[in-house]
Amino acid sequence: MELEAAKLKYIQTWGSLATSWGINKTMAQVHALLLVSIEPLSAEDIMDTLKISRGNVNMNVRALIDWGIVRKEFVVGERKEFFVADKDIWELFKQVTKERKKREIEPVIKVLEELQNDVKEESEEAEQFKKLMQDLSSVTSTVNSILDKAIKADEHWLLSSFTKMIKK
Amino acid sequence: MELEAAKLKYIQTWGSLATSWGINKTMAQVHALLLVSIEPLSAEDIMDTLKISRGNVNMNVRALIDWGIVRKEFVVGERKEFFVADKDIWELFKQVTKERKKREIEPVIKVLEELQNDVKEESEEAEQFKKLMQDLSSVTSTVNSILDKAIKADEHWLLSSFTKMIKK
DNA sequence: TTTAATTTTCAATAATTTTTGAAAGTTTAG
DNA sequence: CTAAACTTTCAAAAATTATTGAAAATTAAA
């Protein structure tokens, strides 16, 4: 397979994985494109390769910068902005995990804990509900703390430490 | 807070978490409703509580059954079908993880490996691309194998505090 | 300054996903 | 068997989400 064809296939594949995990397809594709590019790319380069509008590129590049996985880079003699994605994939995984944890998982844990505390009733049914909230927040917190460790750890922590946990 | 209000709030919260992880909101809400219900619920019960159509209930309940996290149950003297969600949350986590792994992560690993092998070119650029595919598939595989272990692990390894609710 | 290049914004539009509801299909009681 | 109860299907409508493109804002060169 040609290198360029392979790059495009990777961009497509990554885009569709993103879609099923609730991440904007274009955003994933822009990121994938920057990853496989040797040179920094301008907004126009991205528009041309992915066949998308200027506005779309701008919005998604900014989102990627917000997420901390893409950065601007200046090219000597060029006025316009260029973008690069760092190619350390483990770092990328950590960044994305960190953001999603903070934005999505942590608020849910908070609500589950509140619900547990706010129900004052003491019927059998209420106790069951509180128990369910507790179990849910337990599992959610455990997942959260595994992710926490992953974020802080060195490259191969995740696998080995997890194995230890299982074996106890 | 009233128990019923708390249940509804939980259903909402869970629905919005689902949305940001690429899972249909109604599907998550139906599941949440079944989780907080003491009795098995009929399609009509679900329609009434969530204010959604019969067709919608049918589709989403079937999807939940497909995912292996909801099952039909018969109620004596009743002709229609009733549904229940098992309340073992760890089991739920395992089931969902298993499905997503199989449907979404594994096919991506396969593509990444193919891309690595299919590019025959040996330029510096091609080598960098292959290296990237390798890194991506190694991170993806690591995540995948962690999930694998979680799925296979004994029910209680994660949380010693886990107590069972109604075990059928 | 002024002007041209470039980036950002956002209302309008397009694409996608979800939901509805009524008709068709199935099952069971009598 | 037939009829009523119930479930499933799926085309059309609604809701949601993503994208465009042109105008406004910003930046930097002249």
Side-chain angles (χ1 to χ4, degrees):
Chain A
M1 186 187 271
E2 286 301 318
L3 184 55
E4 288 313 304
K7 287 183 176 182
L8 291 177
K9 181 158 183 191
Y10 160 62
I11 291 169
Q12 286 307 119
T13 304
W14 213 240
S16 62
L17 180 65
T19 302
S20 66
W21 286 84
I23 294 165
N24 180 301
K25 189 182 87 183
T26 304
M27 184 167 149
Q29 291 187 332
V30 170
H31 182 253
L33 172 60
L34 291 172
L35 269 186
V36 297
S37 296
I38 306 236
E39 301 289 314
L41 301 183
S42 68
E44 294 220 330
D45 295 333
I46 299 171
M47 286 168 64
D48 294 348
T49 310
L50 301 181
K51 308 276 187 288
I52 60 180
S53 72
R54 183 176 297 284
N56 201 5
V57 168
N58 187 270
M59 282 194 153
N60 283 294
V61 164
R62 286 175 79 260
L64 288 166
I65 291 173
D66 267 6
W67 277 59
I69 58 182
V70 160
R71 59 193 164 74
K72 289 184 184 178
E73 186 154 290
F74 294 96
V75 170
V76 285
E78 287 277 11
R79 181 159 157 190
K80 58 189 166 191
E81 297 176 327
F82 288 79
F83 306 98
V84 293
D86 291 316
K87 291 177 179 55
D88 181 333
I89 301 303
W90 181 248
E91 196 57 41
L92 162 65
F93 174 76
K94 292 201 305 192
Q95 291 278 12
V96 171
T97 302
K98 198 168 163 181
E99 287 292 333
R100 298 205 79 167
K101 233 178 65 66
K102 190 175 73 202
R103 296 182 196 193
E104 295 154 9
I105 300 178
E106 284 167 13
V108 168
I109 292 174
K110 194 156 158 284
V111 172
L112 292 176
E113 280 168 359
E114 278 167 17
L115 286 175
Q116 220 179 117
N117 297 326
D118 288 359
V119 171
K120 301 299 177 200
E121 198 180 317
E122 285 184 353
S123 63
E124 170 67 13
E125 193 186 350
E127 292 308 319
Q128 281 195 14
F129 176 77
K130 288 181 214 172
K131 181 67 182 47
L132 178 67
M133 291 305 108
Q134 185 166 7
D135 284 353
L136 279 168
S137 70
S138 268
V139 171
T140 314
S141 298
T142 300
V143 171
N144 197 45
S145 85
I146 289 173
L147 297 178
D148 248 348
K149 290 201 175 78
I151 291 163
K152 284 177 198 138
D154 281 327
E155 197 144 340
H156 290 302
W157 172 87
L158 197 46
L159 193 51
S160 61
S161 163
F162 195 82
T163 308
K164 273 181 227 148
M165 281 182 75
I166 290 173
K167 290 185 176 155
K168 272 227 188 96
Chain B
M1 187 187 271
E2 286 301 320
L3 183 56
E4 287 312 304
K7 286 183 175 181
L8 291 177
K9 181 158 183 192
Y10 161 62
I11 291 168
Q12 286 308 119
T13 304
W14 213 240
S16 63
L17 180 65
T19 301
S20 66
W21 285 84
I23 294 166
N24 179 301
K25 189 182 88 183
T26 303
M27 184 168 150
Q29 291 186 331
V30 170
H31 183 253
L33 172 59
L34 291 173
L35 268 187
V36 298
S37 296
I38 305 237
E39 302 289 316
L41 300 182
S42 69
E44 294 220 329
D45 295 333
I46 298 171
M47 286 167 64
D48 294 349
T49 311
L50 300 181
K51 307 274 186 289
I52 59 179
S53 73
R54 184 175 296 283
N56 200 6
V57 168
N58 187 271
M59 283 193 151
N60 283 295
V61 164
R62 286 174 80 257
L64 288 165
I65 291 173
D66 266 7
W67 278 57
I69 59 181
V70 159
R71 58 193 166 73
K72 290 185 184 176
E73 186 153 290
F74 295 96
V75 170
V76 285
E78 288 274 13
R79 183 159 155 189
K80 60 188 164 192
E81 297 176 326
F82 289 78
F83 306 97
V84 292
D86 291 315
K87 289 174 181 60
D88 181 329
I89 302 303
W90 178 243
E91 195 57 42
L92 162 65
F93 175 76
K94 291 201 307 191
Q95 292 279 12
V96 171
T97 301
K98 199 168 162 182
E99 288 293 332
R100 299 205 79 168
K101 230 177 68 64
K102 190 175 73 201
R103 297 182 195 196
E104 295 152 9
I105 300 179
E106 283 168 11
V108 168
I109 292 175
K110 194 158 157 285
V111 173
L112 294 175
E113 280 168 0
E114 278 167 16
L115 287 175
Q116 223 180 112
N117 297 325
D118 288 359
V119 172
K120 302 298 177 199
E121 198 180 318
E122 285 184 353
S123 63
E124 170 68 11
E125 193 186 351
E127 292 308 318
Q128 275 190 234
F129 176 76
K130 289 182 213 171
K131 174 71 174 42
L132 177 67
M133 291 304 108
Q134 185 164 8
D135 286 354
L136 279 168
S137 70
S138 116
V139 171
T140 313
S141 296
T142 300
V143 171
N144 197 45
S145 87
I146 287 165
L147 297 179
D148 249 347
K149 290 200 171 69
I151 291 163
K152 285 182 195 133
D154 185 58
E155 201 148 334
H156 288 299
W157 74 266
L158 192 53
L159 297 164
S160 44
S161 66
F162 243 71
T163 36
K164 285 282 163 47
M165 297 190 67
I166 317 151
K167 246 267 170 169
K168 297 249 168 110

